[in-house]
Amino acid sequence: MTTRRDRGQTLDHTANPIRQRLIVCRACDDGGVPEPGTSAVVVVLPDAAPLLDAAWRVDPALVRRGVPAHVSLLYPFVAESALSGQDEEGVRSLAASFPAVDLLLEEVVTASGFIGVAVPRLQPLVDAFLARWPGSRPYGGRFGVRPAAHVTVAMGADDPTAAGRVRAAIDSLLPLRTRAAAVHLVVLTEEGWRPRVTAPLGIQDSR
């Protein structure tokens, strides 16, 4: 896996590491189609939507439409059938322990058929969720045991010409500034991804 600016970076960080918007997406970052009951913990970054739009203009089949641009903190998370109040409280407490943060997206990252953008300032949050749920296997192991924080832009980009066009299109939009403000626990239903918990970053739950 390479980047357009740093050939040494990979999506395995150990090798170097809104409701309506969350409704319809049957595919996920690992390229597979999960079963209903799958859950994930994500940070939504609406300001990064132009990156996905740029890839869609190259080839709509490369973009998983229906969910906004986001960073997966832990996918897959605990299956819905096993989700507990303790898990939900864990998501809230971890989110509260990290401040909202301004982000600068500037590096394109690639792997086999995958194109994304690195989000290094969210790496501590990704690491914290993995440490809290150590039995998880992020992305089914595709990006190693400690995947680097990233926004997925395109999947299935196996054609070199199309992949090059996507990389060029999103590189022209970088650097891009956005802000991480909340963590979302979402669950896949027959109708698509649905929010279950929304936890603002840096704000203690006052319930």
Side-chain angles (χ1 to χ4, degrees):
M1 201 286 311
T2 60
T3 75
R4 293 185 58 87
R5 290 184 172 84
D6 181 358
R7 295 290 176 179
Q9 182 175 343
T10 78
L11 282 175
D12 181 352
H13 197 72
T14 61
N16 337 194
I18 346 187
R19 188 173 178 88
Q20 63 273 25
R21 291 187 174 183
L22 289 169
I23 292 216
V24 193
C25 182
R26 297 301 304 255
C28 289
D29 288 350
D30 68 346
V33 178
E35 295 293 327
T38 301
S39 71
V41 181
V42 303
V43 172
V44 176
L45 301 177
D47 292 336
L51 302 174
L52 277 64
D53 292 340
W56 187 85
R57 286 192 291 270
V58 173
D59 183 349
L62 300 179
V63 180
R64 305 323 194 222
R65 305 299 281 180
V67 167
H70 65 280
V71 174
S72 291
L73 304 180
L74 201 51
Y75 166 79
F77 189 52
V78 180
E80 182 182 24
S81 60
L83 269 176
S84 66
Q86 185 175 6
D87 292 317
E88 294 180 354
E89 181 54 35
V91 170
R92 292 188 183 95
S93 64
L94 270 184
S97 69
F98 284 84
V101 61
D102 293 321
L103 305 172
L104 180 65
L105 311 186
E106 56 183 347
E107 292 185 65
V108 178
V109 293
T110 63
S112 177
F114 167 92
I115 302 171
V117 175
V119 190
R121 291 202 69 185
L122 289 186
Q123 192 63 47
L125 193 54
V126 171
D127 292 343
F129 272 86
L130 185 56
R132 183 68 173 264
W133 285 272
S136 301
R137 190 167 177 252
Y139 306 103
R142 179 180 181 189
F143 299 132
V145 297
R146 187 178 173 232
H150 65 276
V151 174
T152 296
V153 176
M155 295 292 297
D158 299 311
D159 177 70
T161 300
R165 291 175 61 197
V166 171
R167 288 195 299 268
I170 62 178
D171 207 26
S172 71
L173 298 172
L174 302 178
L176 186 153
R177 296 184 183 276
T178 185
R179 184 171 176 81
V183 169
H184 303 273
L185 168 58
V186 296
V187 175
L188 184 62
T189 71
E190 294 290 349
E191 290 73 41
W193 290 100
R194 302 280 182 172
R196 177 155 170 160
V197 171
T198 296
L201 288 165
I203 299 177
Q204 294 294 331
D205 189 352
S206 60
R207 294 175 309 153

